[in-house]
Amino acid sequence: SQQGEEDPQALSIQEGENATMNCSYKTSINNLQWYRQNSGRGLVHLILIRSNEREKHSGRLRVTLDTSKKSSSLLITASRAADTASYFCATDAKGQGAQKLVFGQGTRLTINP
Amino acid sequence: DSGVTQTPKHLITATGQRVTLRCSPRSGDLSVYWYQQSLDQGLQFLIHYYNGEERAKGNILERFSAQQFPDLHSELNLSSLELGDSALYFCASSAMTGNQDGYTFGSGTRLTVV
């Protein structure tokens, strides 16, 4: 089963608006990462937040992590048409031994011009 | 160009056949991960190699196998192919074993089994 579950599954907004995507997970983690995937292409790493961090920024991206609720959010501010893509959260769960990332099902974001 | 090279980009083959997907990791990366992406299953972790050694196995079928060679490139072998094996297969690499800085993904191999 997927460790991360994104919400919503699909989001459509106007260019210039902010987009917020949420991710919930089930087990304790070492870190949580967000990736972007343009249609049929490879995934691109956006940002990593460690379990002892609560918020992180990178350009127009803001990620929060609440380990007590086992949830994270990704905020994209001032959205652009080029932000249209699928966004995935991925968790590096504790106690996995050899680490691997487990991905959620993703949020499909559409930015309308 | 992410630095991770996957070949071929597209592959069409018949049921029952065997194929080999190849991945060259980003220069300096010792870890290679294989993922399968399908519409119904999402991104599924298959297997992880670090510096030639298998480190973790996910939901990889017995018909599938992989290896990492001394030059660090990796191959994923899929045999006795079924229609349900049609998917995008991604390779990703990272510098260490673990996820301290995220993975770098290749552009994938789209496998179609007919």
Side-chain angles (χ1 to χ4, degrees), chain A residues 1-2 31 33 35 37 40-45 48 50 88 91-92 96 98-105, chain B residues 33 35 37 40-45 48 55-57 88 90 97-103 105-107 110:
Chain A
S1 63
Q2 297 292 341
N31 63 65
Q33 304 176 32
Y35 288 78
Q37 183 181 33
R41 308 286 293 274
L43 284 79
V44 175
H45 179 254
L48 180 153
R50 303 185 197 286
F88 295 86
T91 51
D92 172 14
Q96 286 190 124
Q99 295 91 338
K100 63 180 185 289
L101 284 181
V102 179
F103 287 81
Q105 295 282 16
Chain B
Y33 308 81
Y35 283 83
Q37 186 178 36
D40 56 343
Q41 293 292 321
L43 268 162
Q44 295 287 323
F45 168 73
H48 167 209
R55 286 300 185 96
K57 244 179 179 177
L88 265 170
F90 286 107
T97 178
N99 308 305
Q100 303 308 309
D101 298 305
Y103 293 172
F105 276 80
S107 56
R110 183 174 294 278

Side-chain angles (χ1 to χ4, degrees), chain B residues 11-108:
Chain B
L11 199 49
I12 301 175
T13 190
T15 54
Q17 295 298 305
R18 182 181 190 276
V19 297
T20 297
L21 312 184
R22 182 187 170 101
C23 169
S24 294
R26 194 178 55 166
S27 178
D29 285 356
L30 300 178
S31 272
V32 169
Y33 308 81
W34 286 96
Y35 283 83
Q36 178 194 59
Q37 186 178 36
S38 60
L39 283 175
D40 56 343
Q41 293 292 321
L43 268 162
Q44 295 287 323
F45 168 73
L46 295 178
I47 199 162
H48 167 209
Y49 278 87
Y50 175 76
N51 202 21
E53 292 185 9
E54 181 185 304
R55 286 300 185 96
K57 244 179 179 177
N59 299 322
I60 187 167
L61 300 171
E62 287 190 9
R63 300 183 287 108
F64 296 1
S65 65
Q67 59 185 129
Q68 186 179 28
F69 295 87
D71 66 352
L72 301 177
H73 91 272
S74 177
E75 292 181 357
L76 179 67
N77 301 296
L78 315 176
S79 61
S80 302
L81 284 168
E82 302 174 359
L83 295 177
D85 297 328
S86 295
L88 265 170
Y89 291 84
F90 286 107
C91 162
S93 71
S94 68
M96 309 282 287
T97 178
N99 308 305
Q100 303 308 309
D101 298 305
Y103 293 172
T104 301
F105 276 80
S107 56

